[in-house]
Amino acid sequence: MGEQQSSRKEFIWQNILKTVVYLLAVIGIILASKHFFKDELDKLIDIARHNLPVFYTVFFLLEILPGQLPPEVFFVLYSKETTSFPEFISVVFFLACLSYIAINLSYYIGKILPRLKPGNWFEKNRELVNQYGSVIIVFGMFTPLPSAIISMAAGYLNFPAWKFRLLTLARFLRFLGYGPIVYFST
């Protein structure tokens, strides 16, 4: 029992460290992009702000598919130079709603995936999901762990749907926590 508790603490601290490094990297990339790619970034912001249905559709699809861009990239498109803070937070909240729906859709995609041969990625990680499922899901909502893959794995491995939906509400905390950081760092 003590070894399992120690392993869980180690897993949590490693992911907290990854989250801090990730957030600092995102801020660094934003600042570097604004400095080195200002004209390109301004064009991208203009395109996104004038084609909101396309902007939201691309975001939604990227949240469903594995290997997506981090959502903070989309926050940059609503920087403080182009919008007020209340408008920015409303957009971030809407993106959080889309992300929550997409993550849950990914869960159900995992449920309908055909059963793969033994030895596939999902089966290799079954024990990890059984042991740390809740922790992995919550950390996946905050960290650079690909949320679509975590969601599909949870569905594939029959993680309880009600519990998954409850735990993935943490995505709102990520968006509403990281959003202001991105807003005030741009």
Side-chain angles (χ1 to χ4, degrees), residues 54-182:
V54 172
F55 171 77
Y56 292 130
T57 301
V58 168
F59 174 81
F60 183 73
L61 292 174
L62 288 174
E63 284 289 284
I64 294 171
L65 303 171
Q68 78 275 11
L69 290 172
E72 291 79 12
V73 169
F74 290 84
F75 298 174
V76 174
L77 300 177
Y78 277 84
S79 66
K80 66 182 175 187
E81 293 157 358
T82 59
T83 190
S84 67
F85 185 70
E87 182 183 348
F88 174 80
I89 287 298
S90 66
V91 168
V92 168
F93 182 76
F94 183 67
L95 291 174
C97 291
L98 288 175
S99 179
Y100 181 76
I101 293 166
I103 287 167
N104 280 278
L105 186 58
S106 292
Y107 173 88
Y108 287 102
I109 289 170
K111 281 207 133 346
I112 64 170
L113 282 174
R115 296 298 122 184
L116 304 170
K117 64 181 179 174
N120 68 67
W121 184 89
F122 294 119
E123 293 297 336
K124 285 180 185 175
N125 291 290
R126 180 180 292 279
E127 186 176 320
L128 188 65
V129 171
N130 289 339
Q131 187 174 8
Y132 300 113
S134 297
V135 174
I136 291 170
I137 290 167
V138 170
F139 273 104
M141 300 303 107
F142 285 102
T143 66
L145 294 171
S147 57
I149 291 175
I150 292 169
S151 301
M152 286 181 193
Y156 183 88
L157 298 171
N158 295 315
F159 191 85
W162 69 269
K163 194 172 183 181
F164 179 81
R165 286 192 296 273
L166 181 66
L167 293 170
T168 55
L169 287 171
R171 195 69 165 175
F172 285 92
L173 296 175
R174 174 185 179 167
F175 278 59
L176 297 175
Y178 286 9
I181 293 169
V182 171

